[in-house]
Amino acid sequence: MPDAPDPRLTPARPDLADIRLKGTVVAERYVAGEPAWVVVPAAPLRRAPRLEAGLETEAVMGDAVTVFEVRQEFAWVQIARDGYVGYLPEAALGPTDPAPTHRVTSLRTFVYPAADLKRPHVAHLSLGAAFAAEAREGEYWRLAGGGFVFAGHAAPLDEAEADYAATAERLVGTPYLWGGRTSLGLDCSGLVQLCLQMAGRPCPRDADQQERALGGALPPGLDGLRRGDLVFWKGHVGLMLDAERLIHANGHHMAVAVEPLREAVERIAVKSFGAVTSIRRLDPIG
């Protein structure tokens, strides 16, 4: 018997489904969906269309989504980046034109109403957020949707970070946030996804998905590890900085923290996720 579709990645409800799933899932009606961009700095994606529903993940400015339904100020969408399905605030979405040209490479940056650092900022953008740059004005990009961003805090979309572990190191101290994937708050898989995204590497959203999709499994044991290896538990993931040190967003420190892998393995085995389930190695960095 085939596995049931993953509800995190399947735009299907009893009353409504993506037309591409017709014949695969049963629903009262099917729709094609409409493309849109996220046009706010960050938006919470929830499992249900209620403000009190838990945070599943976050979309950031420039993320492409497919909108299947808008009702009562929520849009039921699928995020193009990783296929995640859920409910975004309707107000977070806008038209797909113009397309993003640049993305933020600093941990965060401000949007100003003019090309002047002394003007009160109107918003902030997190690492990885993307925007359409309309023109260069001195040291600033003028955004197509309004506002100005310091040009030194952004790069063209096709420029990738050489070392995704170095991006993780920049995020040390970022508070832990379940479902978070911005530089204001991250969970374990959000950290890994954001760092790989900045390196131009596709990455699923959740730890179990990452364990199935990324790299190749190494032999059991904690020896012979190197920078960039991913260490998985059931429900948790961390990234090796070298043969001995692990960086991970975790609820023990309530932050992105670096610690000896063997100490983390011992603590996690006793207090939370149990034993390591696999260690996986991606293609070499750089």
Side-chain angles (χ1 to χ4, degrees):
M1 179 180 297
D3 294 336
D6 187 335
R8 296 170 294 181
L9 306 177
T10 308
R13 308 181 320 215
D15 65 318
L16 182 65
D18 185 344
I19 197 169
R20 294 170 295 181
L21 298 176
K22 193 170 186 178
T24 303
V25 302
V26 176
E28 293 176 8
R29 62 189 180 97
Y30 302 86
V31 297
E34 297 291 337
W37 294 116
V38 175
V39 295
V40 298
L45 185 132
R46 306 182 189 278
R47 184 54 47 194
R50 302 188 304 272
L51 292 177
E52 66 273 18
L55 178 66
E56 297 288 323
T57 187
E58 292 178 296
V60 298
M61 181 179 285
D63 276 341
V65 303
T66 300
V67 181
F68 299 103
E69 179 188 61
V70 176
R71 182 191 300 178
Q72 296 179 342
E73 300 183 350
F74 282 93
W76 188 49
V77 309
Q78 185 170 38
I79 300 175
R81 178 188 61 250
D82 51 28
Y84 229 92
V85 175
Y87 294 86
L88 288 175
E90 178 187 3
L93 302 177
T96 58
D97 185 44
T101 59
H102 291 69
R103 64 178 175 179
V104 175
T105 53
S106 60
L107 292 185
R108 60 199 69 90
T109 193
F110 295 113
V111 181
Y112 296 94
D116 181 356
L117 62 82
K118 295 182 180 180
R119 296 290 297 274
H121 71 279
V122 296
H124 83 274
L125 300 178
S126 180
L127 178 70
F131 58 85
E134 193 172 66
R136 182 76 178 256
E137 294 192 11
E139 296 183 328
Y140 292 82
W141 284 115
R142 184 174 75 236
L143 277 59
F148 293 80
V149 167
F150 178 63
H153 288 173
L157 286 179
D158 59 359
E159 288 190 13
E161 300 287 347
D163 181 354
Y164 56 84
T167 302
E169 290 177 294
R170 294 171 59 202
L171 290 159
V172 168
T174 302
Y176 181 86
L177 176 66
W178 180 273
R181 59 172 314 279
T182 77
S183 62
L184 292 181
L186 292 158
D187 63 16
C188 65
S189 54
L191 171 66
V192 170
Q193 186 187 52
L194 178 59
C195 293
L196 290 180
Q197 172 195 338
M198 295 303 296
R201 296 173 180 248
C203 179
R205 176 59 180 89
D206 291 341
D208 64 315
Q209 300 165 339
Q210 293 172 0
E211 186 172 16
R212 290 192 296 269
L214 298 177
L218 299 180
L222 304 182
D223 296 322
L225 304 188
R226 67 190 188 198
R227 187 174 179 86
D229 289 344
L230 298 174
V231 183
F232 289 94
W233 292 259
K234 187 177 181 180
H236 189 59
V237 61
L239 172 65
M240 296 303 296
L241 295 179
D242 50 40
E244 299 179 351
R245 295 181 301 146
L246 177 80
I247 184 169
H248 57 151
N250 66 90
H252 176 73
H253 297 95
M254 284 302 291
V256 176
V258 178
E259 60 181 319
L261 173 63
R262 293 179 187 275
E263 291 183 12
V265 167
E266 182 177 343
R267 182 187 71 252
I268 290 170
V270 173
K271 293 187 175 181
S272 51
F273 298 103
V276 169
T277 54
S278 73
I279 300 176
R280 304 187 70 83
R281 178 165 294 167
L282 281 65
D283 295 335
I285 299 172

